[in-house]
Every structure is written in C-alpha cells, then in structure tokens.
Amino acid sequence: MSYFVHHVPGRARFRVPGMPKAATLREALVSALRAIEGVERVEINPAAASVVVHYDRALAPLDRVVEVLRAHSEPPEVSRVPLETPVPAAARGRIGENVSRSVGEMVGQAMFATIVQRTLEYSLRTVLLGR
C-alpha cells in the first residue's frame, strides 16, 4: 500500500512498502511513471522504499501517479490458505499474527502520515503568520 509522505508543488515523495524487489520490476515501475503525461523525472530509492516524482504543476498528474504506484507495488507477504483446506490449530495463531501485523502496519502508516501532515501544516502556519 503506497502512501504520500511529502509534497511541494512540482515534487512529491511517496513511501512504497511493497516496493518491487527485482530490479526489472522497479524499472517497469519507473517506466510506467515516466509514461504519465506531466511527469518530468522519477527518482526511486529501493533501500528506503520511496519514490520521488517531479511533475509539471500545470498538469498535476498525482492521481494517476498514485494509481500506478498501487498497481506496481507487491502485496504484503501474508500466509494464504485456500478456503477448503482445514487449518491446523498450531497454524491458526500464525495466520492471526500475520493479519494483526498487517493491520498494525496500516494503522502505523496512517498515524505517521497524519503526524507528518499536521507538523507540516503547523510549520507552514508558523512561517506564514510569523508566530
């Protein structure tokens, strides 16, 4: 699940926890982003699982950028068990742990994004109002 980290007009940074591990898949992601009208440059940092997109402010293609990031990110690794297969008692706890971990990561990402957004808003208000 990709999410927005930082934005200034003409430049946006996204965190991509499902960043493709294979170089060829990352290259496909960069190519798909560059193909979007208005995207001028793409910087990818696999170690930080982040993507920086420089774009033409007049075209503002960020909605399409988010769609491409979501389409090219790998789903989180979660144990998948077919519904018709009985789950042994010992494995039930592991499946619950994976679900809990995934939910915890999503909540943590949402909280982090909110904190960053509020901090930026406060900083901007401070600069503009001089307080």
Side-chain angles (χ1 to χ4, degrees):
M1 179 173 134
S2 303
Y3 61 95
F4 167 79
V5 175
H6 182 263
H7 178 260
V8 293
R11 181 181 179 276
R13 179 182 302 275
F14 298 89
R15 185 79 57 218
V16 186
M19 174 81 65
K21 293 176 182 34
T24 54
L25 295 176
R26 288 193 305 268
E27 290 170 12
L29 169 62
V30 171
S31 295
L33 289 170
R34 286 183 180 153
I36 298 170
E37 184 180 3
V39 171
E40 297 170 346
R41 191 171 82 215
V42 176
E43 300 169 19
I44 191 166
N45 184 339
S50 72
V51 175
V52 176
V53 177
H54 299 266
Y55 63 93
D56 181 353
R57 293 186 305 183
L59 296 175
L62 292 181
D63 290 340
R64 182 70 182 118
V65 167
V66 170
E67 290 173 17
V68 169
L69 287 173
R70 287 188 177 147
H72 283 79
S73 60
E74 297 176 353
E77 295 179 19
V78 177
S79 298
R80 301 208 193 306
V81 179
L83 293 176
E84 65 275 358
T85 305
V87 179
R92 288 185 192 136
R94 287 193 305 259
I95 292 170
E97 289 172 9
N98 287 340
V99 170
S100 296
R101 186 177 307 117
S102 295
V103 170
E105 287 175 2
M106 287 189 291
V107 170
Q109 290 171 357
M111 288 175 56
F112 178 75
T114 301
I115 290 168
V116 168
Q117 181 180 0
R118 297 268 168 92
T119 302
L120 291 173
E121 289 172 357
Y122 176 77
S123 298
L124 184 59
R125 242 189 335 260
T126 302
V127 169
L128 291 176
L129 300 176
R131 295 182 194 170

